[in-house]
Amino acid sequence: MSGPEAARRPTADVADRAATGFTEAYGEPPVGRWAAPGRANLIGEHTDYNDGFVLPFALPLRTVVAAAPHPDGTWRVCSELSGETIGFGADEVAEPGRVTDWGAYVAGVVWALREAGHAVPGARLAIASDVPLGAGLSSSAALEAAVLTALVDLGGLDLPAERQPRLAQRAENGYVGAPTGIMDQSAVIRCRAGHALFLDCRDESIEHVPFDLDAAGLAVLVVDSRAPHRHADGEYAARRGSCERAAGLLGVAALRDVPAQGLDDALARLDEEETRRRVRHVVTENQRVLDTVALLRAGRVREIGPLLTASHASMRDDFEITVPEVDTAVEAALAAGALGARMTGGGFGGCVLALVDAERADAVAAAVTAAYAERGFPAPGHVTVLPGPGATRLD
Ligand code: GLA
């Protein structure tokens, strides 16, 4: 990501930094390295906890964990992000809340594994990351997944990839305390290079849908809005609560059960305008995911742009989770020739993605930066990406 944060970030490759960090902290080399990417959601926002559909892809920005077993059965973790080394044992992971801050994501994974009955090996870990923190690109899921895959391999645990997202989500919900859905952990663990991950959040079935931007001469420009996350946690929980209440009023298990053609009937049965808007977003967004998947399956990737832009309008007007910075970025990207643009992630800041002709990426980024300057916002960050691989062992 360009911008002031990137300038501060070390230039060595993230996998090298993890290995060096390990050797410096523990005086010997790691036995292996495990990587997990950040993610962007192409479309399908706030649909995951409504048992709906999402379509994320993995970013080429990664978190890498270098690791080795720790014979005394405890865990030690150092991170280049904070410069500290923390340690914890079985007592601290007996219940949530004992390890806090970034360490909670690591301890949460150990806790969730133990809760699920796994004999988690003690380990020494060193973390390095290129995924920007707090930008809505799932740096937390990347950390959870890199740690999880390392511990699964080191301990020879019986936890196949398809069961790992739920466990990582449990770490985030139960230990860290964030009531998020299943999308982020699924994306960072199960995505494939050159593809988007079509996930049905009800039964967790997946399809790797071709999203070969390179072949189409396209790219995704990811713009970090740099908007301060204003009350993001409380607003997320409030949206989730509204959706659950609406499902209850409509007599369905989840808003996923309201089909697009049944939307008008459902809205007529709700007497609050705000609830109607929330429901309309979720129902129309699920349909936009299905429409996007259909276009991608047919190799018509250029044509998904209007669906992305419609998704943004729905988040802005119906779900009310955008902020002026992200709306400005979307408008400027579209005016500069992006085929479609939308905020990605939970909202109230975070990143915008724009589908662009690859050779136009820099011009679109410049147009967004200029629009920011005109509005007096601090300069945005940006990076041009192609869909990368999910979590994997490196060596
Ligand atoms: C955050 C959550 C996800 C999902 C998105 C919104 O990223 O972690 O589970 O709900 O917001 O689509």
Side-chain angles (χ1 to χ4, degrees), residues 350-373:
C351 284
V352 159
L353 58 79
L355 182 68
V356 293
D357 283 304
E359 77 270 11
R360 293 279 306 152
D362 288 346
V364 173
V368 173
T369 303
Y372 258 57

Side-chain angles (χ1 to χ4, degrees), residues 6-377:
R8 279 199 301 275
R9 205 170 299 127
T11 48
D13 175 75
V14 61
D16 292 343
R17 290 179 348 242
T20 308
F22 188 99
T23 307
E24 280 171 7
Y26 308 117
E28 60 186 39
V31 304
R33 290 179 294 183
W34 289 260
R39 66 95 188 93
N41 188 20
L42 184 58
I43 196 162
E45 223 63 80
H46 287 261
T47 45
D48 62 349
Y49 56 76
N50 288 298
D51 277 2
F53 306 111
V54 294
L55 192 61
F57 62 95
L59 297 172
L61 306 168
R62 303 177 301 167
T63 293
V64 176
V65 168
H70 198 358
D72 77 358
T74 65
W75 297 272
R76 287 189 72 71
V77 198
C78 66
S79 168
E80 68 170 10
L81 300 170
S82 70
E84 325 159 70
T85 302
I86 59 165
F88 55 88
D91 282 355
E92 284 89 354
V93 288
E95 60 191 62
R98 305 280 293 273
V99 182
T100 55
D101 204 17
W102 63 270
Y105 296 97
V106 181
V109 168
V110 175
W111 170 80
L113 279 168
R114 285 162 60 98
E115 284 263 296
H118 296 284
V120 188
R124 288 171 299 187
L125 310 161
I127 299 161
S129 184
D130 283 339
V131 186
L133 298 182
L137 299 177
S138 288
S139 57
S140 52
L143 177 54
E144 289 155 1
V147 170
L148 177 61
T149 46
L151 293 175
V152 164
D153 283 354
L154 288 179
L157 308 183
D158 177 21
L159 190 69
E162 62 270 21
R163 287 188 8 233
Q164 291 177 7
R166 272 284 170 225
L167 196 128
Q169 183 202 17
R170 175 112 183 85
E172 181 132 359
N173 293 172
Y175 198 95
V176 178
T180 53
I182 190 68
M183 170 170 71
D184 303 342
Q185 291 80 8
S186 300
V188 306
I189 292 171
R190 307 198 69 189
C191 277
R192 274 195 198 152
H195 293 76
L197 182 82
F198 175 36
L199 171 69
D200 179 334
C201 299
R202 171 162 278 168
D203 65 10
E204 284 177 63
S205 57
I206 62 166
E207 177 186 337
H208 296 284
V209 185
F211 186 43
D212 192 350
L213 295 170
D214 211 14
L218 298 171
V220 167
L221 174 70
V222 177
V223 176
D224 182 351
S225 74
R226 298 248 161 83
H229 275 242
R230 304 171 188 103
H231 315 298
D233 293 350
E235 294 285 355
Y236 185 94
R239 296 302 180 283
R240 192 168 177 153
S242 305
C243 291
E244 282 161 7
R245 265 193 313 282
L249 291 170
L250 294 169
V252 292
L255 290 182
R256 146 73 174 277
D257 297 308
V258 180
Q261 61 278 19
L263 178 61
D264 289 344
D265 285 351
L267 296 182
R269 291 169 54 206
L270 296 168
D271 55 12
E272 230 185 67
E273 181 47 33
E274 184 183 283
T275 311
R276 281 200 288 267
R277 287 201 300 274
R278 304 295 186 253
V279 170
R280 187 164 55 211
H281 166 73
V282 173
V283 173
T284 58
E285 184 78 349
N286 272 326
Q287 187 59 45
R288 282 186 289 270
V289 176
L290 299 176
D291 294 346
T292 304
V293 167
L295 286 171
L296 292 181
R297 281 187 190 131
R300 293 161 59 186
V301 57
R302 289 189 77 82
E303 294 171 51
I304 69 171
L307 290 163
L308 306 183
T309 306
S311 168
H312 186 79
S314 180
M315 291 189 287
R316 184 191 59 212
D317 302 337
D318 280 348
F319 221 58
E320 296 176 282
I321 53 172
T322 71
V323 293
E325 289 89 336
V326 303
D327 292 334
T328 298
V330 165
E331 281 157 29
L334 292 171
L339 303 174
R342 63 184 290 277
M343 183 185 74
T344 184
F348 304 98
C351 284
V352 159
L353 58 79
L355 182 68
V356 293
D357 283 304
E359 77 270 11
R360 293 279 306 152
D362 288 346
V364 173
V368 173
T369 303
Y372 258 57
E374 222 167 87
R375 301 280 306 264
F377 299 141

